[in-house]
Amino acid sequence: MKKLLFLIAAAVSLASCGTQVIVPKALNTVNSVSLDELNLEREDYDILNTITAEAVVIYRERGSKIEIIDQNNEFSLSYTKSKTGWRLEHSGILKLGYLSNDYRGEIVNIIQPEEVVRRLAMYRLINVAKTNGADGIIEPIVSTNVEQSGKDDILYKTTVEAKIIKLHTNN
């Protein structure tokens, strides 16, 4: 409960800060529909296969400092409480993926580790779909697990699995 109140206070403080820190971000989006919404006949598309992507971030809280670190050291976010509010330091590039119905044109909640890990897993899934020549994904399943990993560390692991499809063209 104490950590939840701390995170809420951190989010409010960050939102009210006068200065803005720009975190380098890479964004991917992909259309995601259920099979019913496709409104296609079965002969209009091929299901190529099922793909999976995974992301793990470490959330660490020590005193007046909060860190969110990618397990592969691709990026880190570090929030430090000072007398004037929260200060954000970062390294690397924050990679975020969105299904088309998730993205509203703005990035929010990068202080929430579960949001960061989910978006990173989506980013990786979209890259796998693109590599496999997919036109889209269907029926994505997103699963996030949380576990304590030492005194100060909490591990967030998200796995995203989806079927990729290739639409038939008239050519």
Side-chain angles (χ1 to χ4, degrees), residues 29-32 98-104:
T29 60
V30 67
N31 287 330
S32 170
Y98 291 85
L99 302 177
S100 60
N101 50 350
D102 285 346
Y103 186 61
R104 292 170 181 64

Side-chain angles (χ1 to χ4, degrees), residues 66-122:
I66 295 173
E67 295 177 297
I68 300 173
I69 305 161
D70 172 48
Q71 189 178 44
N72 297 334
N73 291 317
E74 293 178 10
F75 72 88
S76 69
L77 303 170
S78 178
Y79 300 90
T80 306
K81 177 78 171 158
S82 68
K83 293 178 184 177
T84 59
W86 287 94
R87 189 183 62 169
L88 170 62
E89 294 178 3
H90 59 85
S91 67
I93 298 173
L94 182 59
K95 297 175 182 172
L96 306 171
Y98 291 85
L99 302 177
S100 60
N101 50 350
D102 285 346
Y103 186 61
R104 292 170 181 64
E106 61 185 60
I107 309 302
V108 293
N109 293 327
I110 61 171
I111 196 169
Q112 299 295 330
E114 56 274 355
E115 184 71 12
V116 173
V117 73
R118 177 184 170 94
R119 297 297 165 209
L120 179 56
M122 290 287 191

Side-chain angles (χ1 to χ4, degrees), residues 2-147:
K2 181 180 173 186
K3 285 187 181 188
L4 177 63
L5 290 174
F6 186 75
L7 284 174
I8 291 170
V12 169
S13 295
L14 282 172
S16 65
C17 288
T19 59
Q20 182 178 2
V21 174
I22 307 230
V23 177
K25 295 177 278 297
L27 297 177
N28 280 346
T29 60
V30 67
N31 287 330
S32 170
V33 294
S34 68
L35 285 172
D36 295 339
E37 294 171 323
L38 278 176
N39 200 22
L40 298 172
E41 299 298 321
R42 182 61 183 99
E43 62 271 3
D44 294 334
Y45 63 93
D46 290 323
I47 297 175
L48 300 179
N49 60 25
T50 301
I51 59 172
T52 303
E54 183 178 279
V56 177
V57 298
I58 301 161
Y59 171 83
R60 184 175 294 141
E61 183 180 336
R62 289 187 183 143
S64 60
K65 188 173 188 174
I66 295 173
E67 295 177 297
I68 300 173
I69 305 161
D70 172 48
Q71 189 178 44
N72 297 334
N73 291 317
E74 293 178 10
F75 72 88
S76 69
L77 303 170
S78 178
Y79 300 90
T80 306
K81 177 78 171 158
S82 68
K83 293 178 184 177
T84 59
W86 287 94
R87 189 183 62 169
L88 170 62
E89 294 178 3
H90 59 85
S91 67
I93 298 173
L94 182 59
K95 297 175 182 172
L96 306 171
Y98 291 85
L99 302 177
S100 60
N101 50 350
D102 285 346
Y103 186 61
R104 292 170 181 64
E106 61 185 60
I107 309 302
V108 293
N109 293 327
I110 61 171
I111 196 169
Q112 299 295 330
E114 56 274 355
E115 184 71 12
V116 173
V117 73
R118 177 184 170 94
R119 297 297 165 209
L120 179 56
M122 290 287 191
Y123 179 90
R124 291 175 177 166
L125 183 86
I126 293 166
N127 283 338
V128 172
K130 196 167 59 171
T131 301
N132 281 279
D135 291 319
I137 65 170
I138 57 174
E139 307 293 343
I141 298 171
V142 182
S143 173
T144 300
N145 295 311
V146 181
E147 64 182 62

